[in-house]
Amino acid sequence: MFVKSLPNMLTVSNLFLGIVAIILAFQGNQYVEYAAITVIIGMLMDGLDGRVARMLNAQSEFGKELDSLSDVITFGVAPAFIMYVVALQDLNLIGVFVTAVFPICGALRLARFNVQAGVPGYFIGLPITAAGGVLATLALYHQVFNVALLAVSMLLLAFLMVSNIKYPNFKKVGIPKAAYWITPVIVAIVVLVAIKYPQQFPKIVFLPLAFYALYGIKKNVDLLIKKIRKEEKKEKESLPFE
């Protein structure tokens, strides 16, 4: 019984971390790095629960719904509040609106994911986990980037979640059962590094997450250019010879 409930325990851990991240965000700017780290650790938990459920053959509709509800808090509400505390509250009502849009789009993204069949090997729209990770770590650059740029970036991430842009799905990449013992070790190492270097660690994590988000845009632009060139080629071939 305990073994079968392990995936749900990981999901609840993810939800717990999201709540902690919100609390830390409102403790002041000196705790923002720890709030972002908490979201990153939540990403690890979110990546583990599905894999553990498949490994134990413990997948269920209950677990699926619990995972979605947890993701809205940890990767939708928590990162939005982190950004609001460090930057967007200076924008007054506009800041409130932008803060609200992000988790709303995240919820829409998850609802669509739960009811629509996806493309094998891909996510349709930027996953909320990645979007939340980008936003939580981007907030740490609030002294580098202009507030308006941060707000626009937040709206862009929200749009990417509800877009039809395809992103590679690494969640179902198989891991040998013999390698599962090392998972707690990896999580422990990440936590220790994050605690030892709270300011540098989340800023470094921002880079691969941002690259993943931008990859989908680049891929979509490449396909659009290819489509336009193909149509232009057809038009030229259809023109009569002079």
Side-chain angles (χ1 to χ4, degrees):
M1 184 68 178
F2 172 79
V3 174
K4 290 290 184 181
S5 64
L6 185 58
N8 290 337
M9 291 175 64
L10 290 170
T11 303
V12 171
S13 298
N14 171 25
L15 175 58
F16 173 77
L17 290 167
I19 295 169
V20 171
I22 295 171
I23 295 171
L24 288 172
F26 282 99
Q27 299 307 307
N29 284 3
Q30 67 270 30
Y31 290 97
V32 169
E33 286 86 3
Y34 293 103
I37 288 169
T38 306
V39 172
I40 293 168
I41 298 172
M43 293 176 67
L44 291 176
M45 296 295 106
D46 183 62
L48 284 174
D49 59 8
R51 284 187 169 90
V52 172
R54 286 188 288 273
M55 183 186 71
L56 300 175
N57 195 24
Q59 296 167 287
S60 66
E61 285 300 314
F62 174 82
K64 184 178 179 181
E65 295 301 324
L66 179 62
D67 183 66
S68 293
L69 293 171
S70 300
D71 286 353
V72 169
I73 300 298
T74 306
F75 309 117
V77 177
F81 279 166
I82 292 172
M83 183 62 83
Y84 178 79
V85 168
V86 300
L88 298 185
Q89 59 182 326
D90 296 332
L91 299 178
N92 301 319
L93 287 176
I94 295 176
V96 173
F97 172 78
V98 175
T99 301
V101 166
F102 186 82
I104 289 172
C105 288
L108 293 171
R109 163 72 178 78
L110 288 167
R112 184 178 67 178
F113 175 77
N114 287 342
V115 300
Q116 288 185 2
V119 179
Y122 289 92
F123 291 115
I124 303 300
L126 180 64
I128 188 174
T129 307
V134 172
L135 187 62
T137 51
L138 175 63
L140 303 182
Y141 291 91
H142 65 279
Q143 294 179 332
V144 178
F145 299 117
N146 182 275
V147 176
L149 180 60
L150 293 174
V152 170
S153 299
M154 190 170 176
L155 291 173
L156 176 61
L157 288 170
F159 166 74
L160 291 175
M161 283 192 288
V162 296
S163 71
N164 291 320
I165 296 175
K166 292 192 294 186
Y167 284 87
N169 180 2
F170 301 113
K171 271 195 168 186
K172 295 186 179 179
V173 175
I175 298 177
K177 289 186 178 181
Y180 272 95
W181 66 271
I182 204 171
T183 301
V185 177
I186 294 174
V187 174
I189 291 172
V190 170
V191 172
L192 288 173
V193 172
I195 292 173
K196 189 170 179 63
Y197 305 102
Q199 294 183 332
Q200 295 83 4
F201 175 75
K203 289 182 178 179
I204 293 171
V205 173
F206 166 76
L207 298 175
L209 292 175
F211 176 79
Y212 180 74
L214 293 172
Y215 169 82
I217 299 176
K218 180 184 179 300
K219 197 75 174 176
N220 200 61
V221 170
D222 290 343
L223 289 173
L224 183 62
I225 292 173
K226 189 177 179 180
K227 184 179 179 180
I228 292 172
R229 287 177 177 174
K230 191 174 180 180
E231 289 177 354
E232 289 178 348
K233 187 178 179 181
K234 283 184 179 179
E235 287 178 2
K236 288 180 180 179
E237 290 176 350
S238 63
L239 289 174
F241 291 104
E242 293 183 0

